[in-house]
Every structure is written in C-alpha cells, then in structure tokens.
Amino acid sequence: MLRHINSFALIILLAAVGCKKNDGFTHNPSQPITIASFSPATGPIGTEILIKGGNFASDTSQVKVSINGVPLHVVGVSGNELMVAITAKTNSGPLVVEIDKGNATSTDPFNYVYSYSVTTLAGSGNAGYNDGNGTAASFNFNGVRGQLSVDNNLNLYVADGGNQRIRKITPDGTVTTIAGSGINGYQDGGSSEAQFNNPCGTAVDKDGNVYVSERNGHNIRKITPNGVVSTYARKDNGSGGNELTSVIVHPITGDIIWSDFYGDALYHLVGGNVTELIHHSLPCTATIDAQGNIYATFYDDEQIWKYTYDASGNTYDGGVAIVGNHGVSGMDDGVGTAATLARPWGIAVDVKGNLYTSGQGGGDKSNAVRLITPPDWKVTTIAGVGDNTGYIDAVGGDARFNQPTGIAVDKNNDIYVLDMANNRIRKISVL
C-alpha cells in the first residue's frame, strides 16, 4: 500500500495513531524477531510500509523501525504485521526492526524515491524593483535569461537584468542589492554608482568576489565583498565580447571563464587578452565540477556537452555530447542522447556530479527542471511540466514554472531556479 500524503495530513495521521496499542499477543525476548516481507518496496516520503514477520510487540511504543539509522513512525501493529510511515529522507537501505534488545534486518532494501518540493524563495511576481524579504521583494528580469550562483554560506546571487542590478538573497529569503544604480550603462565604482548593461550571469569565488557577465555590455565585471565594482575583462565586440550569457570560476586554478552566445565559444583571459578556450556554436550557459570538467548547454544542438579537464596541461579536450538527440527538440526522459531537450538553457552541478538543467520556456516546451545522473547520464524530469506554463508551488510534476532559465544548486543539494516570466526565484527542496 502506497500513499502520497502532504506534510499536514501526515502530522494529523501520526498524532492520531501514535499511542495505538493492540492487545492479544506479546513479544518474547528469548525468541528472534523476524521480517518475512514488506510492501511496497519503493516510495517517497509519506509512504506507508506494511511489514510482515514475527515476534512483534503489542505496544507500538516498544517498537523501533529505521532505515539507515533514520527512524520511521510506527503507525500500528496487529499480530505479526507492522505498519510504519516514512517521515524523513532515509535514502535506500534495509528495514531494521528493534524491540527490547532484539532486532531484525530485512534481506531486501527499501528503495527510497526522492521528491522535489517547489516553493517561492523571493519575488512578488510583479515586475519591479524592491528589496525585502521573500514575496515583499520584486525583480524585473525583462527577458534576460539570468544564471544564478550560490556560495558556501547558502547566499544566492542573482543578475536582475531589467533592473540593471545584482541582487543577493540570504537563506531566509531576504533580498538586498549589492551593486548597480539601476541605470543601463557602463561605469565602475561603488555599489550604488556602478552601472551595468543587462547583467546576465553571476559566479562567486572562494574569497566572496562576485563576477558578472553582461549580455549586452560585452564585459565581465567583478564585485568585491564590500561592493566595489571593477571590470575584469572588456571587449566591446568580436569574439568573447558579444552576448555574454554565463560566467564560472575554475575551482582549481581560479580562472574566470565565460560563455559568449554569439561568439560561439567559451573564453577566458590569457596574459590580459580575451582568448578562446572551448569552441562550439551557440553556448547558452556553463557549469564546472570540482575536478574542473565543464558542462555546457547548446541552443541549436539541443544538447549538453562535457569537456574533460587535463590538470597537467591546464587544457580541455574536444568535448562529447552526453545528453540530448542532436537537433531534436523534445522533453522525453531517457538515457544520454536518447533523451531529448528543448532549448536547454541553465545548468548546474552538485557535489556528487549530478547535473540539473532548466529550459527557457516561451515558445519551447521546456518549463521544467531536469535531473541528469552519471555515469550513464539518465535524464529525469523532477519539477514542472515542459509544455505547461504557470505559477504553482507544489511537489514534482504538480509545480509550474514560466520560462525557467538560471539554475544553481547549493552544498545541501537544494536547487534554485530563476523563474524569468514569473519574476520570482524558486527553491526546490529534496525530500
């Protein structure tokens, strides 16, 4: 029996049955506890599991059941059957039943299925400019497909393209402006006097400096922790200075790398000169893992490519397509190039090497967030529905986005999405 119940309903259920006793049989401490079977064998948080076995106690308060040391709630016991409920993320593993000093472990594991709960971290939904907490704050993305970044303190950095400002969101959802006067232009200086031209991507280094790519300004800007803005790389036009859509920091060398959409490549500085690093047509955004490998989304290819880093030579290979059927637009889950993408835009990587990508919505059926797991690069849609737009906070496929573009993942594996047409920042918690 498998039930998907919301947290409120689960609390009521547990309160109602938490003290339930069933008389008519007793636990014999001199005899072993047994687990003959359990059902279902897989499920998410909220799943009720029926365990069949022997020598259970009649008092639920005497029974402890866990998976990987995470306690389950004992809903009820009747004869040689136990009903338990998963109330927290357990990961996959065998069931362990403990009564008095005895215990039993199931032969087969329970396979935990992760759920992805979408909430609104910040943004009123109305295009505007206002600092504040949560939905009291306002953004104006104005069609600028921004890319997000997050630091080790779980602060999020957002390029607010329509407002020509860089915003910071603390873990509790408090939005502040760290740089930008609101004027579309080009000027370095203090945080309130600096000017940006459609800032698009952000990246933060180990010292707290924030780097910004400007879609129309052709610049990579640097913001120090005290808010001073300077120009890290400038090229008014030409290769490496066209439409700068994302920026990343190399975790080993500290090198600043950016994608130039119409420059058909990823670039960096070499001896003060803007230099091509990876060549490929129409790169949308890029991310980089702890080993220095780069993953990038490509617009016309409808694919994600991986470029493997060679630390000995500080170079990259020619890359390989790991996800997406070349030139085929779709939202089919699957493995590797058998899966389809629809104008993939945002991309992020977590500490385990899992990738997350978001589309750009609009005329493309990509209003969803996809999970891509190595080593076979299996693609799974975890939140939203590709061809459905809207604004709904919910779990998994019940949630709705409207042109999700930028995406980031923090050290706790929580995911953040720049929901462009909704002018909101959404958070996806893994349950």
Side-chain angles (χ1 to χ4, degrees):
M1 178 169 57
L2 175 61
R3 293 181 184 171
H4 301 282
I5 51 180
N6 63 40
S7 57
F8 181 73
L10 182 60
I11 290 170
I12 294 175
L13 169 67
L14 300 186
V17 301
C19 298
K20 183 179 179 180
K21 295 183 180 181
N22 292 276
D23 298 324
F25 63 95
T26 59
H27 168 68
N28 185 344
S30 65
Q31 296 295 318
I33 302 165
T34 60
I35 299 176
S37 64
F38 65 87
S39 178
T42 185
I45 188 170
T47 299
E48 294 178 355
I49 305 171
L50 179 64
I51 305 171
K52 295 184 178 182
N55 201 23
F56 297 151
S58 60
D59 188 343
T60 57
S61 67
Q62 297 177 1
V63 182
K64 297 179 180 179
V65 183
S66 62
I67 298 174
N68 294 319
V70 179
L72 309 187
H73 181 81
V74 180
V75 177
V77 59
S78 178
N80 289 326
E81 294 185 343
L82 275 172
M83 179 69 77
V84 297
I86 296 180
T87 58
K89 183 168 58 179
T90 64
N91 298 319
S92 298
L95 288 144
V96 178
V97 177
E98 299 177 76
I99 304 171
D100 197 8
K101 296 181 180 180
N103 63 78
T105 302
S106 66
T107 302
D108 298 322
F110 176 83
N111 295 305
Y112 186 81
V113 176
Y114 292 97
S115 298
Y116 297 86
S117 177
V118 180
T119 57
T120 298
L121 178 65
S124 64
N126 298 314
Y129 169 68
N130 191 54
D131 285 341
N133 182 262
T135 56
S138 294
F139 302 93
N140 182 17
F141 298 127
N142 195 33
V144 180
R145 304 180 187 115
Q147 178 72 337
L148 305 170
S149 60
V150 61
D151 65 21
N152 282 330
N153 295 318
L154 308 183
N155 298 305
L156 196 65
Y157 299 90
V158 181
D160 190 352
N163 282 318
Q164 312 299 338
R165 292 176 168 100
I166 308 304
R167 319 288 288 277
K168 175 182 176 180
I169 309 177
T170 58
D172 69 351
T174 299
V175 180
T176 56
T177 299
I178 63 170
S181 64
I183 297 173
N184 185 330
Y186 170 68
Q187 182 172 313
D188 288 337
S191 61
S192 60
E193 63 190 36
Q195 296 174 9
F196 296 92
N197 188 344
N198 288 337
C200 192
T202 66
V204 59
D205 69 15
K206 61 181 178 60
D207 298 318
N209 299 301
V210 178
Y211 296 86
V212 179
S213 61
E214 293 181 283
R215 187 186 73 176
N216 293 3
H218 318 301
N219 305 307
I220 301 297
R221 314 288 286 280
K222 177 181 177 181
I223 309 171
T224 64
N226 59 358
V228 176
V229 178
S230 61
T231 301
Y232 173 82
R234 179 169 177 79
K235 195 168 187 180
D236 289 326
N237 51 58
S239 297
N242 293 285
E243 187 171 317
L244 311 186
T245 47
S246 71
V247 59
I248 54 178
V249 180
H250 198 292
I252 300 171
T253 66
D255 193 17
I256 307 304
I257 302 166
W258 63 92
S259 56
D260 182 350
F261 187 70
Y262 288 117
D264 294 330
L266 273 64
Y267 294 85
H268 64 155
L269 284 183
V270 178
N273 297 313
V274 175
T275 304
E276 184 178 287
L277 179 67
I278 293 171
H279 184 81
H280 199 120
S281 175
L282 300 180
C284 302
T285 59
T287 190
I288 191 165
D289 66 20
Q291 292 73 44
N293 304 307
I294 289 176
Y295 305 85
T297 55
F298 293 101
Y299 193 81
D300 279 353
D301 289 355
E302 311 269 12
Q303 288 182 314
I304 295 171
W305 281 53
K306 176 183 179 180
Y307 297 88
T308 301
Y309 179 61
D310 180 358
S312 63
N314 193 27
T315 57
Y316 285 88
D317 68 4
V320 61
I322 59 172
V323 176
N325 189 342
H326 185 270
V328 177
S329 180
M331 292 294 290
D332 294 325
D333 289 345
V335 175
T337 55
T340 56
L341 305 174
R343 302 295 193 196
W345 194 264
I347 189 168
V349 61
D350 69 18
V351 295
K352 295 181 180 180
N354 300 305
L355 297 174
Y356 303 85
T357 187
S358 52
Q360 61 169 12
D364 300 294
K365 298 179 179 181
S366 51
N367 294 285
V369 175
R370 322 281 292 277
L371 166 67
I372 305 164
T373 53
D376 58 352
W377 306 114
K378 180 182 178 182
V379 179
T380 305
T381 301
I382 60 173
V385 176
D387 56 359
N388 280 265
T389 62
Y391 167 65
I392 300 175
D393 284 340
V395 175
D398 292 331
R400 292 293 181 270
F401 301 91
N402 194 351
Q403 299 183 44
T405 57
I407 192 165
V409 58
D410 68 22
K411 63 183 179 182
N412 298 327
N413 291 331
D414 287 327
I415 305 156
Y416 305 89
V417 178
L418 190 153
D419 195 359
M420 186 177 67
N422 279 322
N423 284 301
R424 292 177 168 102
I425 301 298
R426 314 287 288 278
K427 180 178 181 179
I428 305 176
S429 300
V430 185
L431 305 177

